Amino acid sequence: MASSLRTKLRIATTVLGARGFWDALAGRFLWQPLTPFAKPEGVAVSAAGGGCLRGALHVHTCTYSDGAGTIEEVMEAAKAAGVDFVLLTDHNTMRPKADGLEERYAGQTPFLIVGDEITVKGGAFLLALDLPGDFEFAPGQDPQVAIDAILAAGGLPLVSLPDDMKHPWDAWDATGCEGLEALNLSTVAREHINLLSLAWLLPLWKLKGELAVLRAICTRPDASLASWDRLLAQGKKQIGLGALDAHALMKIGKKKHPLPSYENSFRAVTTHALLPQPPGTLWVPILGGEGRRGEILAVHQALRAGHCYFAYDCLGEIALDFSATLSPSPNPASQDWHPEGTRGAGGRRAIMGDDAPLGSMLIATGPETALLRLYRAGEGIVAAGKGSLSYVADKPGAYRIEAYLVGAQRGPLFVGARPWAFTNPIYVGS
Ligand SMILES: [Zn+2]
């Protein structure tokens, strides 16, 4: 067979085999229909206390690895996009921290947190947070060796790009990993930008701009959520994050293009870290340091505790609250039992990431336009509209909320519903 025909056949097989092709063919971008679960009695409860910081997670620069922009350009873009912080994770290096970049941006908005993206054997990736600036690790080693090294240095190991098209994570048996990128914008983009979808994404890009294209491909990251739910069903506590893998570079054909821009990536997906107090009150002195902002510590604590949710912010501003109380109350703050007093000292209320006793009332609140769906380790339990859901957790398990921006309801289907935000679980009866 002539080699050109073989190449054409190979390309055709690759395109036909990609999930994004069939999604495009089925018009999933436009419709994204949802079968509703049973509707519970809604109990509206407003969110209590605390602060929230929105971060652009998993970003690369040309200063330290293979991104398109310098650190200054990244921070300018983050400022324009209106995020509160950037988590820089250049490949296999903590040098930005050793070089004092966290201090340089301390006391500013956005501020900078330095992490690391470590390449393991086979080409898969680990995100490593909260590491010291002198941490060094040779890439390409066994995943378990990498996880152990991160833990030994006091860091937080998380699976990065679990469903990367080229190098998906397959070391799910490794122990010590504390979570994963349950949503990664690059993975979503690679799945959905293909020859077929370009036929209408390109005109959309020309007419409405790059952010409109990113909005169009906001789909539920089924595979990554399934991996997360599988771990949760095994009784493991696992942190879920929304990340970008932002390089501001995309390979189309043989050429690399500066797409999507840092700014639009930062507008598209962020992780919302929930803090015990309003952000402005979190300044703490660091021993021997220059007085680094307490927000960096607070963000690390929030992510470690799973006190966070992640969202497609480009679909609209969203504030999502998910908590557990022993019984419904008009004043949830008075029933706060959070063990660390995250929401009110000596409290009696659990928030996402926390434990709660069996029989707790789970309460989720979001925008009026949101449909909320409650899952227990991957199983759809209940759904409710108008941004308000409550449910008595009658079985042990990890309960989490997915919020959808609802278009219209046509019979049993929510037509045009877009996945909007995803909370970390509340662990009931664990
Ligand atoms: Zn990356």
Side-chain angles (χ1 to χ4, degrees):
M1 200 191 304
S3 68
S4 65
L5 181 62
R6 255 205 310 269
T7 308
K8 277 177 191 158
L9 272 174
R10 198 177 59 233
I11 291 170
T13 316
T14 310
V15 169
L16 287 173
R19 205 195 72 173
F21 175 86
W22 298 102
D23 276 354
L25 203 67
R28 186 178 176 211
F29 304 121
L30 304 174
W31 296 92
Q32 306 202 37
L34 282 170
T35 306
F37 309 143
K39 280 190 182 178
E41 291 298 309
V43 179
V45 179
S46 63
C52 178
L53 290 172
R54 288 195 311 116
L57 271 52
H58 190 161
V59 180
H60 297 275
T61 64
C62 63
T63 319
Y64 293 97
S65 67
D66 56 351
T70 62
I71 184 71
E72 290 80 13
E73 287 164 343
V74 164
M75 296 309 282
E76 275 303 310
K79 194 173 191 174
V83 299
D84 298 305
F85 69 93
V86 171
L87 173 68
L88 192 68
T89 52
D90 273 311
H91 292 285
N92 306 301
T93 182
M94 283 299 291
R95 245 187 60 217
K97 185 157 176 173
D99 289 350
L101 285 191
E102 282 187 352
E103 279 78 12
R104 192 201 294 176
Y105 290 97
Q108 300 181 26
T109 303
F111 60 96
L112 181 72
I113 302 181
V114 178
D116 194 348
E117 187 179 28
I118 293 171
T119 316
V120 299
K121 201 162 102 186
F125 304 100
L126 272 172
L127 219 59
L129 275 57
D130 211 358
L131 284 170
D134 60 358
F135 179 83
E136 281 184 29
F137 185 80
Q141 298 188 58
D142 186 78
Q144 189 66 63
V145 174
I147 293 168
D148 291 345
I150 296 163
L151 290 172
L156 176 69
L158 305 155
V159 173
S160 174
L161 297 152
D163 297 289
D164 184 69
M165 265 190 164
K166 279 194 211 152
H167 306 291
W169 182 261
D170 55 11
W172 295 109
D173 292 338
T175 55
C177 216
E178 306 212 27
L180 76 168
E181 293 176 351
L183 167 62
N184 185 292
L185 185 66
S186 282
T187 302
V188 172
R190 267 183 233 126
E191 271 181 355
H192 290 102
I193 299 179
N194 52 58
L195 287 178
L196 186 76
S197 62
L198 274 181
W200 61 276
L201 286 178
L202 221 49
L204 186 66
W205 181 50
K206 289 279 176 207
L207 286 170
K208 301 244 173 165
E210 187 180 84
L211 196 60
V213 172
L214 291 177
R215 274 193 205 106
I217 62 167
C218 292
T219 44
R220 188 179 185 272
D222 293 334
S224 304
L225 290 174
S227 299
W228 191 19
D229 287 333
R230 201 174 54 247
L231 296 169
L232 295 173
Q234 291 165 9
K236 292 176 181 167
K237 284 197 170 178
Q238 290 284 296
I239 305 153
L241 298 179
L244 302 168
D245 199 12
H247 291 82
L249 277 178
M250 185 180 281
K251 208 173 171 188
I252 301 175
K254 285 186 180 165
K255 245 182 109 186
K256 280 189 173 175
H257 301 266
L259 300 168
S261 70
Y262 284 116
E263 186 181 328
N264 284 333
S265 295
F266 300 166
R267 285 183 195 280
V269 171
T270 65
T271 290
H272 301 224
L274 303 174
L275 311 184
Q277 329 160 36
T281 63
L282 282 163
W283 289 75
V284 291
I286 303 295
L287 283 175
E290 304 274 306
R292 190 175 60 164
R293 241 181 151 180
E295 270 94 335
I296 295 178
L297 296 179
V299 167
H300 279 143
Q301 282 170 1
L303 299 184
R304 279 181 180 275
H307 293 166
C308 55
Y309 61 94
F310 43 98
Y312 281 117
D313 300 271
C314 55
L315 294 180
E317 222 173 89
I318 180 163
L320 196 54
D321 192 63
F322 182 39
S323 63
T325 62
L326 278 174
S327 60
S329 158
N331 179 11
S334 68
Q335 297 210 355
D336 204 345
W337 82 68
H338 189 279
E340 292 141 33
T342 295
R343 299 268 173 123
R348 294 198 39 82
R349 201 172 80 104
I351 65 167
M352 54 188 93
D354 291 342
D355 293 314
L358 197 63
S360 296
M361 173 71 84
L362 304 178
I363 296 165
T365 51
E368 268 271 302
T369 47
L371 168 81
L372 304 179
R373 289 157 69 89
L374 178 71
Y375 288 83
R376 182 180 52 228
E379 184 194 350
I381 303 293
V382 78
K386 297 208 185 298
S388 174
L389 180 148
S390 63
Y391 183 79
V392 176
D394 53 350
K395 286 184 187 164
Y399 291 77
R400 60 178 188 81
I401 291 283
E402 294 184 7
Y404 288 78
L405 180 64
V406 174
Q409 192 164 359
R410 298 273 181 274
L413 295 180
F414 290 99
V415 179
R418 317 296 307 275
W420 199 2
F422 306 81
T423 73
N424 266 267
I426 292 177
Y427 299 92
V428 173
S430 56

